[in-house]
Amino acid sequence: MVDWNLAAATATRFVRPGPDVSRDEARAVVAELRRHAKASEEHVRGFTAMIPAGSQPQDTPVLVVDRAGWIRANVAGFRELLRPLLDKMQERRSGTPGGAVLGAVGGKVTGVELGMLLSFLASRVLGQYETFAPATRDLPAGDPADPNGNGGGRLLLVAPNIVHVERELEVDPHDFRLWVCLHEETHRTQFTGVPWLRDHLEGEIQSFLGETEMDPMTVLERFREAAQSLVGARPEGEDDEGGHSIVELVQTPAQREILGRLTAVMSLLEGHADYVMDGVGPDVVPSVTEIREKFQQRRARGASRLDLALRKLLGLDAKLRQYRDGERFVRSVVDQVGMDGFNRVWTSPNTLPTKAEIAKPADWVARVHRKAEGAP
């Protein structure tokens, strides 16, 4: 169904070159990012109080990679996550006339498409906690391949992208690198400090994929609608923000319900990371105010028309909203009930906020706190 090797080769071939740095500069950046990642552990755990003092959560590796390493890691991650869906589709196709030939051709086409998508993203991601990393990984030489053998996740820091952005923003590079590490370390703390979170997310995603419509004509029609929305051929009466992302188009009513829950969780995780990054920042990042202001301006500026079209099609504009909405939710809840009160959000899947509660934090406080305390 997908030629994964072709996907990785295509993405690596077409990804933009990174910033110009010497070998010695590159080594210094990698070493500093590793130091900052280690220092961020203590800062984040102390600020969030998610992991009790003295306890040792499951350790996960921190890997500093280049753009090609990020691509290979994500190809392997996609392969792991999509395996049940692709096996199901392959089984269905094998029973149709010419299914083997269609599979071979379709796998190469899909591989190229996925490769082009990853080449677009590989120059934009500063860091990523790989929630669904398989037990082994093809990463650049010198990176450990899952030393714990658990496949439970790992933190990736994409060095060339961090250097590119710090130069573009003209901010202190040492402060910026620590600031990025604080955000990404928060994600690692979320998953190592909340044992059920990974399985919960994987279950929701697999339920979403299990509801995927198998009719190819329906999928093609929805991709056509997406393409029309990008070039301005909107149905009459649709507003200027019309058009849909791929995720929004290829879904059943059951998927819309699951997607609402996933959106709420992702808003919580991203907003929490932003809140922690800004909360810890003033004590350890001297120029945090300047960095935050310039970084927000960069987010708001957008890019070329093609970039904006791709972001909308891929749902990346929705991700930016998740940062804003999630951070407002976390800040409001902490203001009302303190950090310990906010941390009840990690008790179980039932205490996670709904999509509606992300927009109305007081409703989450009322549901989780006042009812638990016996208030009317």
Side-chain angles (χ1 to χ4, degrees):
M1 297 297 295
V2 180
D3 188 328
W4 298 104
N5 291 332
L6 182 58
T10 300
T12 303
R13 179 181 178 185
F14 287 100
V15 70
R16 297 175 183 176
D20 186 20
V21 296
S22 68
R23 185 179 297 273
D24 288 343
E25 287 175 315
R27 287 174 176 165
V29 170
V30 170
E32 184 173 24
L33 287 173
R34 292 188 189 280
R35 290 196 304 270
H36 284 332
K38 182 64 178 176
S40 295
E41 290 184 40
E42 184 177 348
H43 296 317
V44 170
R45 292 175 186 180
F47 183 82
T48 63
M50 288 181 64
I51 300 173
S55 66
Q56 293 296 323
Q58 173 191 337
D59 193 21
T60 55
V62 177
L63 305 178
V64 181
V65 299
D66 58 11
R67 291 172 178 176
W70 182 88
I71 287 168
R72 288 192 290 271
N74 277 268
V75 167
F78 274 125
R79 188 173 190 170
E80 183 80 4
L81 190 61
L82 296 178
R83 190 187 306 276
L85 172 65
L86 296 180
D87 287 349
K88 183 178 179 181
M89 295 179 70
Q90 182 68 35
E91 185 177 330
R92 174 172 293 198
R93 176 174 283 182
S94 64
T96 62
V101 176
L102 286 173
V105 175
K108 294 192 178 299
V109 171
T110 308
V112 170
E113 291 173 341
L114 177 59
M116 296 304 294
L117 162 64
L118 289 172
S119 72
F120 172 78
L121 295 175
S123 62
R124 289 160 172 78
V125 176
L126 300 182
Q128 171 189 352
Y129 184 78
E130 278 193 286
T131 314
F132 306 110
T136 58
R137 173 76 80 245
D138 175 21
L139 284 169
D143 281 317
D146 196 19
N148 297 318
N150 52 40
R154 74 192 71 221
L155 180 61
L156 303 182
L157 296 170
V158 190
N161 295 349
I162 293 173
V163 171
H164 171 78
V165 174
E166 70 192 26
R167 290 179 177 180
E168 179 186 343
L169 298 181
E170 297 181 339
V171 294
D172 183 284
H174 309 292
D175 285 1
F176 184 75
R177 293 165 196 173
L178 176 55
W179 189 71
V180 170
C181 287
L182 289 171
H183 181 101
E184 302 306 333
E185 177 58 35
T186 302
H187 286 316
R188 190 162 73 132
T189 299
Q190 289 164 348
F191 284 94
T192 56
V194 185
W196 53 265
L197 185 57
R198 180 185 184 275
D199 289 342
H200 172 71
L201 266 182
E202 184 173 16
E204 291 279 58
I205 292 171
Q206 292 302 337
S207 295
F208 181 91
L209 295 176
E211 290 286 337
T212 298
E213 296 175 356
M214 297 295 180
D215 177 14
M217 293 308 296
T218 300
V219 175
L220 288 174
E221 175 63 20
R222 293 186 175 184
F223 271 93
R224 184 188 66 81
E225 293 173 10
Q228 286 182 342
S229 74
L230 294 182
V231 298
R234 301 187 180 94
E236 185 176 353
E238 188 167 305
D239 60 29
D240 288 340
E241 295 185 358
H244 305 277
S245 72
I246 291 173
V247 172
E248 290 171 325
L249 288 167
V250 187
Q251 60 176 293
T252 64
Q255 284 178 311
R256 282 194 290 273
E257 191 174 320
I258 298 169
L259 187 62
R261 296 196 297 268
L262 281 171
T263 299
V265 174
M266 296 312 297
S267 295
L268 170 69
L269 298 180
E270 295 293 1
H272 182 237
D274 264 13
Y275 178 81
V276 172
M277 180 170 61
D278 288 345
V280 174
D283 292 332
V284 298
V285 182
S287 59
V288 65
T289 302
E290 178 193 2
I291 291 173
R292 164 56 81 183
E293 182 180 345
K294 289 185 175 181
F295 197 77
Q296 291 287 47
Q297 290 173 354
R298 181 179 183 272
R299 278 181 179 174
R301 272 200 311 268
S304 67
R305 184 178 179 184
L306 175 61
D307 257 13
L308 295 174
L310 285 169
R311 287 178 184 181
K312 186 164 189 64
L313 184 61
L314 300 174
L316 299 182
D317 54 341
K319 185 175 178 62
L320 294 180
R321 288 197 299 273
Q322 288 173 0
Y323 284 105
R324 295 192 298 268
D325 297 345
E327 197 274 340
R328 281 196 295 265
F329 170 83
V330 176
R331 185 173 300 279
S332 177
V333 171
V334 173
D335 286 346
Q336 292 181 63
V337 295
M339 185 63 76
D340 288 342
F342 165 78
N343 280 341
R344 288 195 189 181
V345 78
W346 313 116
T347 304
S348 75
N350 293 329
T351 56
L352 291 172
T354 64
K355 191 175 179 180
E357 287 170 342
I358 288 288
K360 295 182 178 180
D363 290 354
W364 179 86
V365 172
R367 176 172 68 86
V368 173
H369 280 266
R370 293 173 189 165
K371 287 186 178 180
E373 293 162 3

